[in-house]
Amino acid sequence: MKNLFNIKDVTFQNRIFLAPMAGIADRAFRELCINYGAGYTVTEMVSSKGLTMGDRKSGELLTLGETEKPAGAQIFGDDPEIMAQAAIKCLSYKPAIIDINMGCPAPKVAMNGGGASLMKNTRLAGEIINAVSSAVPIPVTVKIRKGWDEDNVNAVELAEIAEKNGAAAIAVHGRTRNQMYSGKVDYDIIAQVKKAVSIPVIGNGDIVDEQSATIMLEKTNCDAIMIGRGALGNPWIFRKINAYLNECRVLPEVSISEKMVVMLHHIQTLIDYKGEYTAIREARHHAAYYTKGLRGGASFRRQIGSLESFEQLQELACKIVKENE
């Protein structure tokens, strides 16, 4: 597998990317994944309306770390002019790419004109892509799904529209909006998109290990892959997939001790960025993934749900190591 590739003038050291995930892929998690070999990261999605109105939260979401190069800033919305204004505002945070979310299935986004709902209005989707691409001097990419539902599978059509309106690359999650995250990813629709456009195509969905990464690449011929849920509590997935694809090496499983060390480092970084009160509450979700599959995991997750301090998390981590090694 060739390593370096470009989206216009943006060069990536590898083709294994971290997907933008609302409430998950914040700066602390993105930096952790980069340390383990992610070739590219994208911010959590930011409301174009909120950003243009000066919402403080939007600015926090767009803040990039020193190690996040290259990184993308993701925006969502349903008004071409406001999306273009938001893209311009993103530039002050120095992203390498502006990514447009046209795939989010969450009701609060998709039922209000943004995210995956734009797959039902390809004319408006094209206008948004054109407006954003015309407004900024950096590449604009688009993240879509297979379609809205099985009766409306139009990823190929929207990909072609995206390319005609200035998109520099397109990421495709091989599920419909109605599927959310259930069922299996459709490799064939990603392969069809790849055949239909000349811009790079990024495959997304069900990539959880070296084997599933290889399957995605082989079945779709996509240019890169994007890992979402497969990285939760598992940031070393990037290191493992890179070693397998580039060196034909299968790295050993991560020890329980290393998992807990990484978890604590992750949460400490969260605290540094967000303060202990907020970070510990967000840590409950992350810690549940780090302990998944461990002996006594269900009990540990119940304890995680009532965490109030970093010291409590440290004590729990020590207990987990003792009971599993």
Side-chain angles (χ1 to χ4, degrees), residues 147-193:
W148 181 259
D149 55 33
E150 288 298 333
D151 294 325
N152 296 278
V153 174
N154 63 341
V156 171
E157 177 192 359
L158 185 51
E160 291 174 333
I161 288 171
E163 182 175 25
K164 289 175 184 176
N165 282 280
I170 190 156
V172 186
H173 184 118
R175 287 184 175 86
T176 65
R177 186 270 165 184
N178 277 10
Q179 281 183 282
M180 300 292 280
Y181 299 100
S182 65
K184 294 182 178 180
V185 67
D186 184 344
Y187 297 109
D188 187 54
I189 191 67
I190 301 173
Q192 289 177 39
V193 170

Side-chain angles (χ1 to χ4, degrees), residues 88-107:
I88 292 170
K89 283 187 172 293
C90 284
L91 297 177
S92 63
Y93 297 91
K94 302 190 182 334
I97 287 171
I98 300 292
D99 186 57
I100 301 174
N101 185 315
M102 294 188 176
C104 179

Side-chain angles (χ1 to χ4, degrees), residues 230-272:
L232 298 181
N234 185 30
W236 38 85
I237 188 173
F238 299 97
R239 179 177 67 185
K240 295 178 74 173
I241 291 175
N242 276 311
Y244 183 78
L245 294 176
N246 300 327
E247 304 167 29
C248 296
R249 288 195 301 135
V250 177
L251 298 181
E253 290 300 315
V254 175
S255 69
I256 306 302
S257 294
E258 182 178 350
K259 282 188 177 183
M260 293 302 99
V261 168
V262 172
M263 178 186 74
L264 291 173
H265 172 72
H266 180 183
I267 305 311
Q268 181 60 67
T269 306
L270 262 182
I271 292 171
D272 293 342

Side-chain angles (χ1 to χ4, degrees), residues 16 30 38 61 83-84 134 148 159 162-163 268 294 299 312 325:
I16 319 301
R30 296 195 307 267
L61 293 175
M83 285 287 282
S134 301
W148 181 259
E163 182 175 25
Q268 181 60 67
L294 301 183
S299 173
Q312 290 177 344
E325 288 194 338

Side-chain angles (χ1 to χ4, degrees), residues 46-47 49-61 93:
V46 173
S47 165
K49 290 180 181 177
L51 182 57
T52 55
M53 293 175 67
D55 175 57
R56 180 182 59 82
K57 178 68 173 176
S58 297
E60 293 175 0
L61 293 175
Y93 297 91

